Amino acid sequence: MKFIIKLHPEITIKSKSVRQRMSKILQGNIRNVLKPLDEHIKIRADWDKLIVRSNIFTDEHRAAMVAALSCIPGIQSFLEVKEFRVDSLDDILTHTQAMFGEALAGKTFCVRAKRRGQQSFSSLDVERYVGGGLNQRCETGGVKLKQPDVQVNLELDGDRLYLVSEQHAGLGGFPIATQESVLSLMSGGYDSGVASFQFIKRGSRVHYCFFNLGGREHEAGVREVVHYLWQKYGASHRVKFISVPFEGVVTEILDKIDKGHMGVVLKRMMMRAGAAVAEKLAINALVTGESMGQVSSQTVTNLNVIDRVTDTLILRPLIASDKQEIIDQARTIGTAPFAEKMPEYCGVISQKPTIKADLSRVEQEEARFDFGVLDTAIQASFVEDVRDLGRVWSLPEVEFSEQAGEREVILDIRAPEEEELAPLVVEGREVVHLPFFRLAHQFGELDPDKTYLLYCARGVMSRLQAIQLKEQGFENVKVYRP
């Protein structure tokens, strides 16, 4: 089984030394990806292409090889080649007719041959003999040397005939590790997945940083999409996944920061933490999935204020993309199903967020913030090899309830401003307001003989918090969905 790998055009126009370096790196990347399929895989570098050969000839192996090659950055396209042993021009014609005869029905065609080694005939002899034979034996539309409907490509190397049976599209881009590494700030949604993919395709080793705002269920979802991206598009290199526990940072923001500035301050804290993680990993750039105007924190003014918090380069590949464009690409690369089921954290959403934050005002707000909380979160970061993310996390089951019983208390965990705007009143039942960001520390002070039904507007936060409490050993919790 043989494949001819065509390099991405941007590689071929590089200087000779750069092209050779990129080609060599791509050769190693292909070997790393294909070795689990065939440990004896052979890869040979040519001037503008790579030749991949495998001695396993099953249909399953072929399909796996095609799927893997189509997702390796740096490959523009690749040809699937069948190999035959031949002794004469007639042998060449017979094999060529068997493969292309039906495809030539009613169509104009030409034959193009390349030859290496010692034979008693020239490339032109092959083209004339095979072309004339096909025209006589098949119901073709005739030979046409310029712009035919079908071009039959064949290659001879000694007594071996190679016929191109199929052409496959590659991913394009640069081979991974030809560009510098980046740290992608992953939320698990459409945007961060697509932004990460674009840097994988551009030749960067993409490491992943997740700020855990909503407990293990959210992290489990993010781990799943990160492992998918790495396994499908970046498996040639090992990368890291870093989880930063950010619940304490969220609590501090909700306690200390003006409501209109919470979103901007949260993003600034993420950039501070991301820069600190990147520095530890010797990475010089952060990647985010932000798109201009998509949410309040992503106005030009707010992004400028956010960026002032660090000297680390912040890259935003989707900055001018429409949401639908991002969703469409997520579907193409396969991350959309993960994003669709990702729990959306809604803890730091202001009713009237500023869209034109003033840097001096933001700095005044942050002066009230205890940065020891942020330092603690950074120090508590957990680093894993991305290969370990494939294991499935077991999360505790959460019971849902539409009504509260006599020994059950409804626990409204919404943020104070949200609860004040629309207080929850359930006739005949006790309702207690305890904001989600205080829940972890204060739930243990509640009456353990009662069962607590956690409530939030959309049911997402209440479920995440119920899972966290169950993991801490509290079994007297349910989710309230009236």
Side-chain angles (χ1 to χ4, degrees):
M1 187 177 298
K2 177 180 176 181
F3 297 92
I4 299 175
I5 309 297
K6 301 293 185 179
L7 305 181
H8 179 57
E10 284 190 63
I11 300 174
T12 62
I13 62 174
K14 300 291 185 184
S15 66
K16 180 179 179 181
S17 61
V18 173
R19 182 173 64 251
Q20 288 177 337
R21 180 179 67 86
M22 287 189 170
S23 179
K24 186 175 181 179
I25 291 173
L26 178 57
Q27 187 175 355
N29 293 354
I30 294 173
R31 189 181 306 280
N32 289 342
V33 173
L34 297 185
K35 194 171 182 180
L37 301 177
D38 180 1
E39 61 178 342
H40 301 297
I41 197 80
K42 294 180 180 179
I43 306 172
R44 176 171 60 86
D46 215 334
W47 174 251
D48 61 347
K49 59 183 177 292
L50 299 174
I51 312 298
V52 176
R53 298 190 62 161
S54 172
N55 289 324
I56 303 174
F57 298 97
T58 65
D59 290 340
E60 293 79 8
H61 180 65
R62 172 198 167 274
M65 293 275 286
V66 170
L69 288 170
S70 66
C71 294
I72 298 176
I75 298 176
Q76 183 67 13
S77 63
F78 56 100
L79 306 176
E80 191 174 348
V81 179
K82 292 192 179 297
E83 179 180 341
F84 306 92
R85 186 181 181 278
V86 294
D87 294 318
S88 65
L89 287 172
D90 196 59
D91 286 347
I92 298 172
L93 172 58
T94 300
H95 290 300
T96 305
Q97 180 186 353
M99 181 172 294
F100 291 99
E102 293 183 5
L104 297 179
K107 296 181 179 179
T108 60
F109 75 100
C110 72
V111 176
R112 293 287 181 256
K114 292 183 179 181
R115 188 178 58 85
R116 286 192 302 271
Q118 298 295 321
Q119 294 102 8
S120 60
F121 42 79
S122 68
S123 297
L124 185 57
D125 292 336
V126 175
E127 293 175 356
R128 287 174 175 171
Y129 188 91
V130 174
L134 291 174
N135 196 39
Q136 290 178 358
R137 298 182 182 184
C138 307
E139 298 294 331
T140 73
V143 175
K144 185 179 180 182
L145 299 181
K146 292 185 178 181
Q147 297 182 333
D149 295 328
V150 179
Q151 179 170 305
V152 177
N153 296 309
L154 56 88
E155 184 177 334
L156 288 161
D157 190 351
D159 64 351
R160 298 289 170 174
L161 169 67
Y162 300 101
L163 294 175
V164 175
S165 61
E166 196 166 346
Q167 179 169 334
H168 304 275
L171 199 62
F174 288 140
I176 294 177
T178 58
Q179 310 302 314
E180 294 179 72
S181 297
V182 298
L183 180 67
S184 178
L185 308 186
M186 283 290 293
S187 68
Y190 292 106
D191 305 338
S192 60
V194 172
S196 300
F197 165 78
Q198 290 193 359
F199 273 90
I200 294 173
K201 181 180 175 181
R202 200 59 185 166
S204 290
R205 289 177 67 179
V206 177
H207 302 267
Y208 303 89
C209 182
F210 168 64
F211 300 105
N212 194 335
L213 311 177
R216 278 172 61 87
E217 186 185 35
H218 190 187
E219 181 168 343
V222 174
R223 290 165 65 93
E224 195 176 12
V225 69
V226 165
H227 187 262
Y228 168 84
L229 274 171
W230 168 78
Q231 190 172 51
K232 190 169 181 67
Y233 302 106
S236 58
H237 288 75
R238 298 180 183 180
V239 297
K240 299 185 183 304
F241 175 80
I242 302 93
S243 177
V244 185
F246 239 53
E247 295 95 331
V249 174
V250 170
T251 300
E252 187 72 5
I253 289 174
L254 291 167
D255 271 347
K256 305 284 182 66
I257 305 300
D258 170 72
K259 293 180 175 59
H261 291 81
M262 290 192 301
V264 171
V265 171
L266 176 62
K267 285 296 182 70
R268 281 167 62 91
M269 296 300 169
M270 288 179 173
M271 297 306 171
R272 285 186 173 99
V277 171
E279 185 177 6
K280 290 180 181 179
L281 298 176
I283 295 173
N284 295 322
L286 305 178
V287 173
T288 81
E290 291 163 314
S291 174
M292 185 168 61
Q294 191 173 117
V295 296
S296 62
S297 65
Q298 295 174 20
T299 62
V300 171
T301 298
N302 285 356
L303 290 173
N304 181 36
V305 170
I306 291 167
D307 286 5
R308 298 293 186 90
V309 81
T310 178
D311 292 330
T312 303
L313 178 64
I314 301 173
L315 300 169
R316 297 182 172 94
L318 310 182
I319 193 65
S321 298
D322 295 336
K323 188 66 175 183
Q324 190 58 52
E325 293 173 341
I326 298 169
I327 293 174
D328 290 344
Q329 186 166 14
R331 288 175 178 153
T332 299
I333 65 176
T335 58
F338 301 98
E340 289 164 1
K341 65 180 182 180
M342 195 69 62
E344 184 177 352
Y345 184 86
C346 53
V348 186
I349 299 177
S350 306
Q351 295 297 321
K352 294 182 179 180
T354 180
I355 59 173
K356 289 190 176 181
D358 178 74
L359 180 60
S360 60
R361 171 66 189 279
V362 170
E363 289 173 340
Q364 289 176 10
E365 292 293 328
E366 289 182 345
R368 297 195 290 271
F369 186 93
D370 180 3
F371 280 89
V373 175
L374 180 63
D375 294 337
T376 299
I378 295 171
Q379 293 300 318
S381 300
F382 185 68
V383 182
E384 289 183 84
D385 189 308
V386 71
R387 294 173 299 175
D388 296 332
L389 304 186
R391 65 180 186 273
V392 179
W393 275 13
S394 58
L395 298 172
E397 294 292 329
V398 176
E399 186 178 345
F400 296 87
S401 180
E402 296 180 356
Q403 296 180 338
E406 293 184 3
R407 296 289 299 170
E408 295 179 332
V409 176
I410 299 172
L411 208 57
D412 186 346
I413 66 169
R414 293 175 296 169
E417 63 174 359
E418 191 178 356
E419 190 273 338
E420 290 171 5
L421 287 173
L424 177 65
V425 178
V426 179
E427 186 175 350
R429 290 292 177 260
E430 181 181 4
V431 178
V432 176
H433 181 238
L434 181 59
F436 68 92
F437 54 91
R438 301 188 190 283
L439 199 59
H441 301 291
Q442 297 184 13
F443 188 84
E445 301 173 6
L446 301 176
D447 186 350
D449 295 327
K450 294 183 178 180
T451 298
Y452 296 89
L453 277 57
L454 276 53
Y455 169 80
C456 69
R458 292 188 291 179
V460 176
M461 179 66 71
S462 54
R463 184 170 182 270
L464 295 175
Q465 293 295 325
I467 289 173
Q468 281 190 291
L469 290 171
K470 278 185 167 288
E471 288 183 329
Q472 294 171 20
F474 296 105
E475 294 296 331
N476 56 333
V477 291
K478 299 180 183 178
V479 173
Y480 182 53
R481 284 186 176 173

